[in-house]
């Protein structure tokens, strides 16, 4: 079902009431730059008017809507984030939300950039690009673990909002000592982010499965039996190697080290 709604710039646009991930959403320039310009203009007009003439402030804002959507996703997953649920959270009518987010895909854009604001974009860099990239990856992992829906939201192409751009600028600065050209730096950052998102997805899945110790024990017995059948010598050798720390943090660090230490600069 579609509906025509009024946007903040008084133009109209036909959108789907409950769009899923992958829908076009708003033009990035309209989504980010027009909103910033509108905020600045509103602030200037508000400061220029006497307090008595300002009237009652809106009951909600794009920030409030985004915060409510993030809270829903954190608690119940992306499936719980519908325009109706978000509207109920902020105490607004569903139709009034479409002036701020005309479809769910746009709302996801806002959510991703909102949580990207939790990533420090002005932290001091060591000048050792591998060390700095590892720090960046650990920050990304922590952010994705706080918001388990984020790896899924990042799996489709997203525009770069102001918070995302700030963190990207930080990562590109960390990569300056490599001497890579701009395109290669962007590729490295994309590769790193994809690795972290994929690892966190696997990590969360494993954590959910850990609630079944019987299954884990059965899998261990199965592998031991296969390794002893004489047909899988490489697997048998691998399984006989000394055990390594299996905490999520230790495992992530090992995988990350292999990835970044193996990156070249050509």
């Amino acid at each position: 079902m579609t509906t025509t709604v009024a946007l903040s710039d008084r133009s109209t646009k036909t959108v789907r009431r409950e769009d899923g991930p992958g829908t076009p959403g708003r033009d990035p320039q309209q989504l980010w730059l027009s909103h910033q310009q509108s905020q600045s203009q509103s602030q200037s007009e508000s400061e220029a008017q006497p307090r008595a003439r300002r009237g009652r402030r809106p009951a909600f804002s794009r920030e409030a809507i985004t915060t409510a959507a993030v809270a829903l996703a954190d608690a119940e997953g992306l499936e719980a984030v519908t325009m109706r649920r978000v509207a109920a959270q902020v105490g607004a009518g569903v139709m009034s939300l479409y002036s701020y987010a005309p479809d769910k895909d746009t709302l996801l854009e806002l959510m991703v950039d909102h949580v990207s604001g939790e990533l420090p974009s002005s932290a001091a860099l060591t000048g050792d690009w591998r060390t700095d990239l590892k720090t960046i990856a650990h920050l990304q992992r922590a952010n994705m673990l706080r918001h388990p829906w984020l790896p899924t939201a990042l799996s489709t192409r997203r525009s770069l909002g102001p918070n995302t751009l700030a963190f990207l600028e930080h990562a590109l600065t960390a990569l300056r000592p490599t001497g890579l050209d701009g395109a290669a730096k962007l590729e490295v950052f994309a590769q790193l982010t994809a690795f972290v998102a994929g690892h966190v997805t696997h990590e969360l899945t494993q954590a959910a499965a850990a609630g079944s110790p019987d299954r884990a024990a059965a899998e261990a017995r199965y592998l031991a039996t296969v390794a002893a059948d004489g047909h899988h010598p490489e697997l048998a050798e691998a399984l006989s190697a000394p055990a390594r720390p299996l905490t999520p943090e230790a495992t992530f660090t090992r995988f990350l080290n292999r990835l970044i230490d193996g990156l070249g600069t050509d």
Side-chain angles (χ1 to χ4, degrees):
M1 181 169 60
T2 61
T3 182
T4 300
V5 298
L7 301 180
S8 57
D9 61 359
R10 298 185 181 179
S11 61
T12 60
K13 182 177 181 180
T14 300
V15 297
R16 189 169 298 278
R17 289 284 297 276
E18 290 294 351
D19 287 321
T23 53
R26 278 204 225 183
D27 177 86
Q29 185 165 340
Q30 181 186 34
L31 178 61
W32 304 117
L33 298 184
S34 296
H35 176 70
Q36 290 175 347
Q37 293 168 359
S38 177
Q39 278 189 318
S40 298
Q41 181 178 356
S42 297
Q43 182 177 358
S44 298
E45 291 175 351
S46 177
E47 291 172 351
Q49 294 174 356
R51 180 174 299 275
R53 297 178 57 190
R54 290 180 187 175
R56 187 169 59 184
R57 292 183 178 180
F60 54 93
S61 63
R62 190 165 89 166
E63 179 72 13
I65 292 168
T66 306
T67 299
V70 167
L72 269 175
D74 288 348
E76 303 179 38
L78 279 180
E79 298 78 10
V81 181
T82 65
M83 303 301 267
R84 189 171 301 278
R85 288 287 304 277
V86 174
Q89 290 293 316
V90 298
V94 176
M95 292 304 297
S96 63
L97 261 62
Y98 290 110
S99 293
Y100 298 89
D103 50 50
K104 185 173 178 178
D105 196 61
T106 301
L107 185 57
L108 283 175
E109 297 273 11
L110 299 175
M111 292 165 62
V112 169
D113 194 65
H114 179 85
V115 299
S116 294
E118 300 173 11
L119 295 166
S121 57
S122 58
L125 297 171
T126 67
D128 180 331
W129 66 269
R130 286 188 170 89
T131 297
D132 291 331
L133 271 193
K134 291 174 185 178
T135 298
I136 286 170
H138 279 282
L139 290 170
Q140 289 181 309
R141 172 177 175 265
N143 196 33
M144 292 182 196
L145 290 175
R146 283 193 301 273
H147 307 288
W149 52 270
L150 186 53
T152 299
L154 289 172
S155 64
T156 56
R157 184 175 179 84
R158 298 283 165 208
S159 61
L160 303 178
N163 292 323
T164 309
L165 282 171
F167 193 67
L168 172 60
E169 183 71 17
H170 179 64
L172 294 176
T173 302
L175 285 166
R176 177 171 288 278
T178 65
L180 293 170
D181 63 28
K185 290 177 189 175
L186 290 171
E187 287 175 347
V188 168
F189 181 70
Q191 180 182 3
L192 182 67
T193 302
F195 162 75
V196 177
H199 187 91
V200 169
T201 298
H202 176 73
E203 189 175 332
L204 293 171
T205 302
Q206 292 296 104
S212 176
D214 292 341
R215 177 179 175 181
E219 289 179 351
R221 289 194 300 272
Y222 165 71
L223 286 177
T225 300
V226 170
D229 66 7
H231 298 296
H232 304 85
E234 296 296 333
L235 176 61
E237 181 180 350
L239 292 177
S240 66
R244 297 186 177 185
L246 295 178
T247 64
E249 180 72 22
T251 302
F252 176 77
T253 298
R254 284 199 305 275
F255 288 8
L256 177 66
N257 287 346
R258 292 192 189 110
L259 172 68
I260 293 182
D261 291 345
L263 287 175
T265 55
D266 55 355

